[in-house]
Every structure is written in C-alpha cells, then in structure tokens.
Amino acid sequence: SSSEQSKPIEKRICLVSSPFRRCLQTAGKIARKFGIKNIHVHYGFGERMSSVRKLCGPDAKLIEPNKVALSSMKSCSASHHDSVSEESGDTCVNEIPFLFLSEEQMVEALGDGLVIEKIYGTPPPVDESNLGTRNRYLDALWEIINGEISEISVNHIIVVAHGDTLGTLANNFCKVLLYEADYCGWIAASVETGKEHPEVELL
C-alpha cells in the first residue's frame, strides 16, 4: 500500500572505530547522538604507522613492546639526539616502545555507557611500510563492504578512522583520486551488495 511505501526505513547502524584514542572519542560522541550502545573496533583502521613514527621525531625509533631494546648506544639520552658515539660512529636514537590502548582504555575513551562489541584484526607492526598500511586499509574496507564486520543485519555503517582511510576508499573502491583529506573530513558512499564484486558509489 501507499502507506507502507511511505513508511521510513529503520536505521540499523553499525559503528566501527580505529583503535586510536581521538577516533574512539569521536565514535563515542557519534554513538550517543544515534543512540548506539555497542561499538566495533578494528585495528585495520588504525593510523598509518609511518605517520606515527614521524610524530615521534626524527631521532626516535619505535620498537615492539615485547622486545627488549638492544642498543650499543647506552650513553645516548633525550638531550643529546644529534651526538655521535666516538667508538661506534652511530647517531644516537631514542628507542620508544609503542603500545596500543588496552580494551579497558578503549572503553574509557568511548565514554560512559558504551561498550565494545568486538575488536577485529591485529595491531600492525611498528615498522609497517606505506604499502603495508594501504593493504591493511583495503582488507578492513573489504570486510566492511562484504558485510563481515557485523554479525547483525544493518543498513548503515559508520567508520571513524583517519584521512588515509578516506583516500583508500575513494581511490580504490570509488575510482576517485583524493589528494588530501581535511581535518574532520568525511565520505558518504553506497554499497550494492549481493554481487561477487560489490559496487561502491560516492553519494
């Protein structure tokens, strides 16, 4: 009937976030806006590791938290970044263990009243290449497009991530070249499912 045709479609939203704190905080605000209680977290949408390394400074070397720093430059300190060891001739480097947030810290970043439904993927290596990051984003986005992220029936998926994620979606799935994403930038796209190769179209 015409009344049934005009009935608004119920929004069933799945909210997926990067494991980084600022994205989780944004996801928390979005969740409260739409009345969402359960949030999915995916390591695949985390920040590009080369950007993380850059933020730590040119003299910093990120190391896995479970690895012991075996450095011959024991005399190096944070106040002598550019000094050179007379014995080895090596430039001093600060080795910084990099830790992702624990699940408890992720929940805290989301804010009161919200829970993590499930955490997907695994933390990327600290020495991840830019190509490795691109492939990680592609794998995570493909899970979204194929409906593998949520075990429930949804018709809207919101991904809170980083600018490089937007670029990967636009460049690889929508065939649109995105040079740079502004702060708080976003993309809306529709996905036609039920096909061997789902079609993604920018809205």
Side-chain angles (χ1 to χ4, degrees):
S1 64
S2 59
S3 59
E4 291 177 343
Q5 292 176 351
S6 61
K7 185 179 180 180
I9 299 175
E10 178 186 2
K11 290 184 179 180
R12 301 184 301 278
I13 302 173
C14 175
L15 180 56
V16 186
S17 175
S18 154
F20 279 67
R21 190 186 305 276
R22 63 185 182 276
C23 288
L24 290 163
Q25 292 171 337
T26 301
K29 293 182 179 296
I30 294 173
R32 279 181 278 276
K33 174 70 176 179
F34 288 100
I36 301 170
K37 298 297 182 183
N38 300 339
I39 288 86
H40 300 254
V41 176
H42 202 313
Y43 282 111
F45 290 122
E47 179 70 277
R48 182 172 60 179
M49 293 309 296
S50 63
S51 296
V52 176
R53 295 194 296 270
K54 184 177 180 180
L55 287 173
C56 291
D59 305 309
K61 177 183 178 182
L62 298 185
I63 59 174
E64 304 289 353
N66 59 339
K67 293 182 180 179
V68 178
L70 300 176
S71 175
S72 61
M73 300 169 285
K74 295 180 180 178
S75 61
C76 295
S77 65
S79 60
H80 297 86
H81 294 311
D82 299 325
S83 62
V84 177
S85 169
E86 293 181 358
E87 296 180 1
S88 65
D90 293 328
T91 302
C92 296
V93 175
N94 293 316
E95 291 185 322
I96 304 175
F98 182 79
L99 289 170
F100 281 89
L101 297 179
S102 65
E103 184 171 351
E104 182 180 355
Q105 291 171 321
M106 291 181 188
V107 172
E108 182 180 357
L110 288 171
D112 294 338
L114 302 176
V115 299
I116 293 178
E117 177 75 18
K118 188 174 180 179
I119 299 178
Y120 297 83
T122 56
V126 295
D127 60 350
E128 180 184 58
S129 66
N130 286 336
L131 178 59
T133 299
R134 173 186 173 277
N135 292 336
R136 170 163 59 88
Y137 288 157
L138 284 173
D139 290 342
L141 286 166
W142 192 247
E143 289 182 43
I144 290 285
I145 292 172
N146 282 331
E148 298 173 12
I149 287 292
S150 177
E151 297 177 356
I152 60 175
S153 176
V154 299
N155 52 20
H156 292 76
I157 298 177
I158 300 175
V159 178
V160 183
H162 308 268
D164 292 319
T165 318
L166 296 181
T168 302
L169 173 64
N171 299 342
N172 293 275
F173 291 100
C174 304
K175 307 306 178 184
V176 174
L177 185 58
L178 179 65
Y179 288 101
E180 184 178 359
D182 290 335
Y183 185 70
C184 291
W186 56 274
I187 287 179
S190 65
V191 180
E192 186 175 349
T193 59
K195 294 184 176 182
E196 183 178 355
H197 301 289
E199 296 180 2
V200 182
E201 182 180 357
L202 291 180
L203 299 177

